[in-house]
Amino acid sequence: MNRRLSAFLIAFALLLILLYAGQSVMDAMTDKGILLLTDGWDAEISGETDYALHNINPENLHAAGVPALKKGESLTLRRTLDEIPEVNYPAMMIESRMSAVEVFLDEEPVVSFHTEELEEGELVCDSVSFVDLLPAYKGRTLEIIYRPSENLRMLYNLPAPQIGDYDALTRAYTNRTFIPLAMGIFLIVFGMGMIIMMTLYVTYLQRFEANIVTGMLCVALGAWILLREQATVFMAPELHVTVWEHVFLYLIIPLLYAYLTGVPRIGNENVFRAIAGTSSVLSLSFIPLLFSGIAHITSFLPLFYVLALTGTVLSSVYLYRLLKDKRFDTSEGIRIGGIAGMSIMNLISIFAEYASEYFGIYRRPALTALFPVGAAFFVMSQMIDYFIYVTGYYAKKEENTSLSDIAFVDALTGLANRAEWDKRMNELESASGEYCILSMDLNGLKALNDREGHAKGDKLLKTFARIIRECFRDEDFAARIGGDEFVVIMEDINDWLPETYVKYMERRLSDLDRRERGINHSCSYGYAFRREAQDAHGVYMLADTRMYEHKAIQKGKKVV
């Protein structure tokens, strides 16, 4: 267990190093000639109460005393563009939170986003917009008006606009969302792969339901990470990001509980069932309310966070109970540990998001990476758990195969034994094609055992079995059914082929006689075809009778 845990932690650490190395490379490629407009803004709020503030940072509005925006109000940010980068294709990147946006230069309209949706009463989603600027914009007054379609609450602080070359801005945004993008895509691909694999091999693999739920959970987590961090801007710009972000968010809790239900020691407890059922129903009920517009999208979040906190505490308690029990199943510990680790990281992420409202830490890369790192922890736990399951499955399969070999294989010669012969004879009763049964008796075995011991006799038996394998086809069935009795079943065969094989075998045995003087390498044989008897047993009895006739001829005797 300690080695498995150490391997898991090392693999997780390597994944984090890989992710952050990739992020560092992307950051190094980012054009530094981008101006982040974080200060020098004048702010005005029009609504139930008017506010006017000067020289503030839009990423830290709460600390500046700006109240949370409500639906129907507007926030106007205004500043003069004094220090600007010298670029060939100037552009500005503006991020908004569920708000329509209008941009002005010297009170002249430049562009607007989502104003039509707002006027029609629709939900405006989070967006990232790139605005082309005229080359002669230095010294002009930039004015941005935000009109929220929801009560913004904790989502209130705004990312500051950025000015620079258009290509540099797009690269910078892509670099900033590298970890969420990488983890989101990986989760979706991993989840879809698991679902497809389970669907294709449903008859061969166990834990079908648990693995399907795991795949669905990974897909939901991956989609939510991509949408939450707006990493799909360039892949699906028209997607209603905020709506689908919350749809996948509300699906996560039922899937988490469905996942934990697959752990026997948890899923059978009444307390867990009650909490899981209640939380799942509440979380799923948010989705139709979201699409119907009955309640604001942010109205569900406090209750959802309570449900998420409950799930985190519950999984952590069960993990603690399992760790105290030294007899706990490794798979159970890994699965619950993965959920608990991811849930804890999610809560930290939520707390940090609330904290950003007060401390203005929106752009810290660590915040963006918190939940993707938690999701990575979960995925790694699933991969380790699945690796343990698959290795155990194949080890058990190999053990069963070995036991089957012991039951149906002759230990001395490696040919099939009497039990496998009886099984094959029963199968021949339903065979549709022609077949031939060859019965053989190894000559002189008893005399050799009496004269030189059983070790010599065993060697002769092994040699004869090897000759049989080499002289007949791979598809022919060969078995040792007694001390010196052997049989071969040849299916789909013509009349002359058995005699050809038998004569070849006799030549091989004669060669051994010349090389090993004093040991009789010969056998008596007889064969019969299907058409010569009513059933498989009758064919064998006829072949066996002919074998004894051949033995009598070899001894110069006549069978009466």
Side-chain angles (χ1 to χ4, degrees), residues 214-225:
T214 301
M216 295 172 63
L217 179 57
C218 288
V219 171
L221 288 169
W224 180 65
I225 289 173

Side-chain angles (χ1 to χ4, degrees), residues 71-92:
K71 183 177 181 179
E73 297 182 336
S74 66
L75 168 66
T76 301
L77 295 178
R78 187 181 298 109
R79 65 161 286 172
T80 302
L81 299 176
D82 296 325
E83 299 179 3
I84 59 174
E86 297 293 335
V87 294
N88 294 325
Y89 303 99
M92 178 170 58

Side-chain angles (χ1 to χ4, degrees), residues 211-237:
N211 288 321
I212 286 290
V213 170
T214 301
M216 295 172 63
L217 179 57
C218 288
V219 171
L221 288 169
W224 180 65
I225 289 173
L226 289 176
L227 296 171
R228 179 177 183 264
E229 301 300 335
Q230 298 190 66
T232 60
V233 168
F234 303 111
M235 295 183 291

